[in-house]
Amino acid sequence: MLTVAGTAPAWPSDPGPVLISKSEIAARVKSLADEISRDHQGQRIKVGVVLAGAIVFAADLVRHISLDVEIFFIQASSYGDGTVSSGRVLVRRDEKVDLADAHVLVVDDILDTGHTARALLDELGSQRPATLRIATLLDKPSRRQVDVRADYVGFEVPNKFVVGYGMDHSGSFRHLPSVHALD
Ligand code: IMP
Ligand code: MG
């Protein structure tokens, strides 16, 4: 890293230890994609990628899915005081993608309190899709405040802040190939 002597870098430099390695992720993502392909056999699916945390997971996942796939993007922003999920989540998505009678798979990075997943299911469900399922790379069940579950879970993780493989801390670490525990 290039730093001027005596100055600290303006971003955190250490993502912490690896919690889930690149090869563990690759194997799990492939088996989730196989499961999704089996469950949706003969169907065309519309994959809603939740920005920005799910982009790396979704990019790997869709490349192993053996179905006709259309991809669209979803923005889910919690409003409230920032750090704590307020339970009020604003969902925006590409309106040009018609979800009525479609088989929809939402792909997200982490299922934490569950507020985001609940809002996504409510908002996308209001378009009357034929099926609506959620795939999440990580699940932190100990943090749940809303009774919601994902149909496809990569890994259950303990209550630690994680980064890498799409997930960030103040914008950093999304590009890392493994999942790290930042404490
Ligand atoms: P929920 O509404 O509390 O379930 O929030 C889920 C969202 O919070 C995830 O999709 C992430 O974007 C973010 N999030 C929750 N925990 C973490 C973490 O440990 N690292 C990075 N982002 C997280
Ligand atoms: Mg997210």
Side-chain angles (χ1 to χ4, degrees):
M1 192 194 306
L2 191 65
T3 53
V4 178
T7 61
W11 60 90
S13 56
D14 183 6
V18 170
L19 188 65
I20 310 169
S21 73
K22 183 174 153 172
S23 57
E24 287 174 289
I25 295 170
R28 187 70 190 121
V29 169
K30 168 80 171 80
S31 72
L32 285 178
D34 289 345
E35 212 184 312
I36 290 164
S37 301
R38 274 197 305 275
D39 291 351
H40 296 82
Q41 215 169 6
Q43 297 170 349
R44 177 172 203 266
I45 61 170
K46 300 195 180 184
V47 173
V49 181
V50 183
L51 296 172
I55 57 165
V56 178
F57 173 42
D60 284 344
L61 187 73
V62 294
R63 282 180 286 178
H64 291 295
I65 294 178
S66 55
L67 303 165
D68 186 9
V69 172
E70 180 175 355
I71 297 171
F72 66 102
F73 296 100
I74 303 170
Q75 253 182 341
S77 21
S78 298
Y79 40 109
D81 67 9
T83 51
V84 179
S85 189
S86 62
R88 298 187 309 146
V89 179
L90 180 68
V91 176
R92 286 203 206 90
R93 66 171 183 93
D94 184 348
E95 304 279 341
K96 289 193 295 293
V97 179
D98 184 13
L99 302 183
D101 301 317
H103 297 284
V104 177
L105 178 70
V106 175
V107 178
D108 204 356
D109 53 358
I110 309 190
L111 184 52
D112 189 39
T113 63
H115 289 295
T116 303
R118 181 75 270 155
L120 290 168
L121 289 174
D122 290 348
E123 172 62 25
L124 303 184
S126 73
Q127 304 300 301
R128 302 269 172 254
T131 60
L132 176 56
R133 295 186 174 102
I134 297 187
T136 185
L137 177 72
L138 305 180
D139 188 4
K140 286 186 194 169
S142 63
R143 294 259 306 159
R144 203 76 86 249
Q145 294 173 4
V146 178
D147 184 23
V148 61
R149 48 174 291 284
D151 302 275
Y152 307 98
V153 174
F155 304 90
E156 275 196 12
V157 291
N159 183 14
K160 289 185 174 184
F161 196 83
V162 295
V163 297
Y165 200 67
M167 293 165 284
D168 77 310
H169 173 68
S170 304
S172 292
F173 307 128
R174 279 196 210 281
H175 66 297
L176 299 178
S178 305
V179 173
H180 297 249
L182 190 88
D183 328 291

